């Protein structure tokens, strides 16, 4: 041990910065995005199902460098910590679906699993470590109505990330794709590559001018037809 310390001192050893390549996403999605938008120091994002301002966040890395955006999450009280840690974002407590309705929101002991889908909730409760703690009635809104009200006038969306825990298609269907077209769209799916290419999610977006750009283990990155990565 003494010899090792001596060698470190001799070589002026320094521990590497633990945040040299900082990532806050669950599977490194923000690192992929950082590569896609490598030459863009600032921009605008939309995060549907944002969960937490830092934990499992695809957008916090960008917020730290000057990007700004809109964060949405259905969890009652969820925006208090967003307003505290990300006050320069637009933070909205809202549940998104393709029509205004009242749905039951299943709140788990692991907040990342919270869902408006009863089917998804029942499937997740099959694992002994996950339990629904309570269920609340939540009024949903469409994504288009949220963006109509809160997106700054003339602001282009560089990327949109959607993690709706079972309601992803309904979220996509609730947007006005003629008006709001993010350059890059992130969708979570447990389907493998071949199956995703034939899925309702991908075919829906393909019909609206999007194509596959990249992926991580559970997240697919789609690009708008006119967007060129690393421009």
């Amino acid at each position: 041990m003494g010899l090792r310390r001596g060698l470190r001192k001799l070589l002026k050893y320094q521990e590497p910065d633990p945040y040299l390549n900082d990532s806050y996403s669950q599977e490194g999605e923000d690192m992929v995005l950082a590569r896609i938008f490598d030459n863009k120091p600032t921009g605008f994002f939309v995060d549907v199902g944002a969960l937490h301002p830092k934990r499992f966040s695809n957008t916090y890395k960008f917020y730290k460098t000057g990007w700004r955006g809109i964060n949405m999450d259905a969890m009652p009280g969820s925006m208090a910590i967003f307003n505290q840690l990300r006050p320069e974002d637009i933070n909205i407590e809202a549940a998104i679906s393709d029509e205004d309705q009242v749905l039951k929101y299943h709140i788990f002991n692991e907040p990342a699993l919270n869902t408006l889908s009863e089917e998804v909730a029942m499937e997740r409760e099959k694992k002994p470590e996950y339990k629904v703690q309570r269920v609340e009635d939540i009024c949903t809104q469409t994504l288009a109505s949220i963006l109509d009200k809160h997106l700054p006038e003339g602001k282009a969306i560089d990327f949109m990330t959607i993690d709706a825990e079972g309601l992803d298609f309904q979220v996509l269907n609730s947007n006005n794709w003629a008006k709001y077209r993010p350059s890059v769209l992130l969708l979570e799916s447990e389907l493998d590559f071949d199956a995703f290419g034939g899925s309702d999610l991908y075919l829906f977006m393909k019909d609206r001018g999007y194509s596959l750009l990249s992926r991580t283990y559970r997240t697919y990155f789609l690009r708008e037809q006119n967007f060129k990565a690393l421009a």
Side-chain angles (χ1 to χ4, degrees), residues 19-77:
Y19 297 106
L20 183 62
N21 290 308
D22 57 327
S23 175
Y24 300 88
S25 298
Q26 191 168 12
E27 297 174 351
E29 291 91 340
D30 53 0
M31 298 298 291
V32 177
L33 285 166
R35 180 61 174 152
I36 291 171
F37 293 103
D38 188 47
N39 296 320
K40 191 170 176 54
T42 62
F44 198 86
F45 53 78
V46 172
D47 191 343
V48 181
L51 179 66
H52 189 274
K54 293 183 179 181
R55 181 177 184 247
F56 296 163
S57 174
N58 293 339
T59 59
Y60 182 62
K61 180 181 181 71
F62 292 85
Y63 182 84
K64 285 178 58 181
T65 63
W67 285 52
R68 296 295 178 259
I70 299 174
N71 303 303
M72 310 174 207
D73 199 86
M75 178 67 177

Side-chain angles (χ1 to χ4, degrees), residues 58-124:
N58 293 339
T59 59
Y60 182 62
K61 180 181 181 71
F62 292 85
Y63 182 84
K64 285 178 58 181
T65 63
W67 285 52
R68 296 295 178 259
I70 299 174
N71 303 303
M72 310 174 207
D73 199 86
M75 178 67 177
S78 58
M79 289 301 114
I81 191 169
F82 276 89
N83 291 332
Q84 178 182 355
L85 298 180
R86 293 171 61 168
E88 296 185 39
D89 277 346
I90 300 167
N91 303 310
I92 304 166
E93 183 182 308
I96 309 300
S97 186
D98 52 3
E99 60 178 309
D100 296 342
Q101 58 185 319
V102 177
L103 295 177
K104 293 191 178 299
Y105 188 58
H106 302 77
I107 300 172
F108 279 79
N109 57 329
E110 166 50 73
L113 302 180
N114 294 350
T115 179
L116 289 163
S117 169
E118 184 174 359
E119 181 181 356
V120 170
M122 291 176 62
E123 186 65 27
R124 288 175 173 171

Side-chain angles (χ1 to χ4, degrees), residues 119-132:
E119 181 181 356
V120 170
M122 291 176 62
E123 186 65 27
R124 288 175 173 171
E125 274 209 299
K126 292 179 181 178
K127 296 184 178 181
E129 64 269 33
Y130 301 135
K131 294 296 180 184
V132 172

Side-chain angles (χ1 to χ4, degrees), residues 122-187:
M122 291 176 62
E123 186 65 27
R124 288 175 173 171
E125 274 209 299
K126 292 179 181 178
K127 296 184 178 181
E129 64 269 33
Y130 301 135
K131 294 296 180 184
V132 172
Q133 295 182 319
R134 68 184 192 275
V135 177
E136 295 193 14
D137 288 339
I138 298 286
C139 296
T140 66
Q141 304 174 59
T142 66
L143 180 56
S145 68
I146 294 287
L147 295 178
D148 284 344
K149 184 176 181 180
H150 295 283
L151 184 69
E153 185 176 356
K155 179 68 71 175
I157 303 171
D158 292 290
F159 72 87
M160 178 185 294
T161 175
I162 297 175
D163 185 2
E165 303 297 337
L167 263 71
D168 301 75
F169 186 81
Q170 289 89 331
V171 171
L172 293 177
N173 196 41
S174 78
N175 187 36
N176 181 346
W177 292 101
K179 187 175 182 181
Y180 304 118
R181 298 183 61 81
S183 296
V184 175
L185 176 68
L186 281 69
L187 297 174

